[in-house]
Amino acid sequence: MTSTASIIDGKAFALGLRARIAELTADFAAEAGRAPGLAVVLVGEDPASAVYVRSKHKACVEAGMASFEHRLPADTSQVELLALVGTLNADDAVDGILVQLPLPAQIDENRIIAAIDPDKDVDGFHPVNAGRLATGLDGFVPCTPLGCLMLLKNRLGSLSGLDAVVIGRSNIVGKPMAALLTKESCTVTVAHSRTRDLPAVVRRADIVVAAVGRADMVKGDWIKPGATVIDVGINRVDGKLVGDVDFASVARVAGAITPVPGGVGPMTIAVLLRNTLVAAHRNAGVALAPDAI
Ligand SMILES: Nc1nc(=O)c2c([nH]1)NC[C@@H]1CN(c3ccc(C(=O)N[C@@H](CCC(=O)O)C(=O)O)cc3)C=[N+]21
Ligand SMILES: [Mg+2]
């Protein structure tokens, strides 16, 4: 007999979150006399990046936030981009700054991230925010892992004591995801390209978060029956979007699974709005209840 996993509808969850954020945005605007503002910087013409930037802009406007888009040519120098970041850091209408990655080869991404005011770093990529997360201080948490955590808590309630395996160790997803799950009292394993017998490691997990960037890598026979599987992958194969998880085989074994598209991706954008709203409250000195979102 084959069972079928529940589908975790990230798109629906994200829409609910965005509606709640829109309400809180209106409250903020009434109190502060201005809308929260997000600046998004896109360097070059990468079509996938242009699509993401457009959906971020649309989500911002729908939530009642101000969206400032800056499109720079592909041959922009590092000095020019640093100057723009400096201008945005100093602009009181800008609560959050997002510089779309990847950047062209002549620009050092780490230099740009380090130049963003940590208190406007709504991506949570600045080393100060990574350090705050690692040490349990308030700061900005990267949008994708925080979105994954929200889906997990919505599905499972308490995560305390669960075995979690994060596949991938990037600064953007794997490392912050592991930190968040550790904070939730999971027993966390970070697996990666050098992990020996990855299927055996994944088979121990109650929670699997796949963030490796390899289409359909995680197979059904790696999954403990009933496990919750979060697929962070966004791979384009023959013009189609596919995750890091082989959905067909894993859905027969898992208890719940996120689809691609419609799973983690929409949560990333909703959390970006959430972080921008939090930044606006901090920058304007307006209180926001800790459990408001
Ligand atoms: N500084 C920076 N911050 C980012 O957060 C950032 C970035 N750079 N560079 C690129 C990645 C990628 N990313 C996604 C956002 C939304 C979807 C999303 O909404 N995906 C939809 C489908 C989109 C489609 O069909 O192409 C879904 O999964 O259902 C995906 C990916 C944010 N990123
Ligand atoms: Mg992000």
Side-chain angles (χ1 to χ4, degrees), residues 98 123 125 142-144 172 268:
L98 181 150
D123 261 329
F125 294 167
C143 302
T144 299
I172 291 173
T268 298

Side-chain angles (χ1 to χ4, degrees), residues 91 102 174 234 260 274:
D91 185 344
I234 36 167
V260 176
R274 180 231 174 245

Side-chain angles (χ1 to χ4, degrees), residues 165 167 191-192 195 197-208 210 212 214-225 227 229 244-246 249-250 253-254:
V165 172
I167 315 172
H192 45 74
T195 295
D197 200 353
L198 180 60
V201 171
V202 174
R203 259 178 225 121
R204 299 200 296 257
D206 304 302
I207 293 169
V208 181
V212 261
R214 282 183 54 182
D216 293 335
M217 189 183 80
V218 176
K219 303 296 184 190
D221 64 355
W222 301 16
I223 301 297
K224 174 154 96 178
V229 179
D244 293 343
V245 174
D246 176 27
S249 68
V250 171
V253 188

Side-chain angles (χ1 to χ4, degrees), residues 4-263:
T4 304
S6 313
I7 310 290
I8 299 175
D9 190 344
K11 194 173 175 180
F13 192 91
L15 280 174
L17 204 56
R18 283 167 57 178
R20 172 82 183 126
I21 290 164
E23 289 175 5
L24 293 165
T25 295
D27 294 345
F28 172 84
E31 193 164 342
R34 67 173 182 88
L38 175 67
V40 177
V41 181
L42 174 60
V43 184
E45 332 260 277
D46 176 57
S49 291
V51 170
Y52 296 138
V53 167
R54 214 169 307 129
S55 38
K56 285 166 187 173
H57 172 77
K58 191 168 158 270
C60 249
V61 171
E62 279 178 17
M65 298 187 184
S67 161
F68 309 104
E69 265 187 67
H70 295 267
R71 288 163 183 271
L72 304 180
D75 63 357
T76 298
S77 71
Q78 180 164 295
V79 167
E80 287 168 319
L81 184 55
L82 286 170
L84 174 58
V85 168
T87 303
L88 298 172
N89 282 342
D91 185 344
D92 286 337
V94 172
D95 296 296
I97 301 170
L98 181 150
V99 179
Q100 184 73 13
L101 303 181
L103 288 166
Q106 75 275 14
I107 299 176
D108 178 350
E109 289 183 355
N110 289 324
R111 281 288 303 278
I112 302 304
I113 290 168
I116 296 172
D117 178 346
D119 296 321
K120 295 191 176 190
D121 170 39
V122 287
D123 261 329
F125 294 167
H126 193 289
V128 163
N129 283 315
R132 287 168 172 164
L133 176 61
T135 55
L137 298 173
D138 268 348
F140 292 110
V141 176
C143 302
T144 299
L146 185 52
C148 293
L149 184 73
M150 287 178 177
L151 293 177
L152 284 166
K153 288 174 83 167
N154 180 248
R155 161 90 197 163
L156 297 168
S158 169
L159 309 184
S160 180
L162 296 179
D163 278 310
V165 172
V166 178
I167 315 172
R169 53 176 157 177
S170 71
N171 292 334
I172 291 173
V173 182
K175 283 182 215 168
M177 188 78 245
L180 287 170
L181 292 166
T182 303
K183 212 154 94 176
E184 296 296 325
S185 302
C186 291
T187 302
V188 180
T189 301
V190 179
H192 45 74
S193 55
R194 305 291 176 86
T195 295
R196 284 190 219 157
D197 200 353
L198 180 60
V201 171
V202 174
R203 259 178 225 121
R204 299 200 296 257
D206 304 302
I207 293 169
V208 181
V209 180
V212 261
R214 282 183 54 182
D216 293 335
M217 189 183 80
V218 176
K219 303 296 184 190
D221 64 355
W222 301 16
I223 301 297
K224 174 154 96 178
T228 303
V229 179
I230 305 292
D231 189 351
V232 180
I234 36 167
N235 310 289
R236 244 161 256 275
V237 178
D238 305 327
K240 245 190 73 187
L241 207 58
V242 301
D244 293 343
V245 174
D246 176 27
F247 187 90
S249 68
V250 171
R252 272 179 233 124
V253 188
I257 181 172
T258 59
V260 176

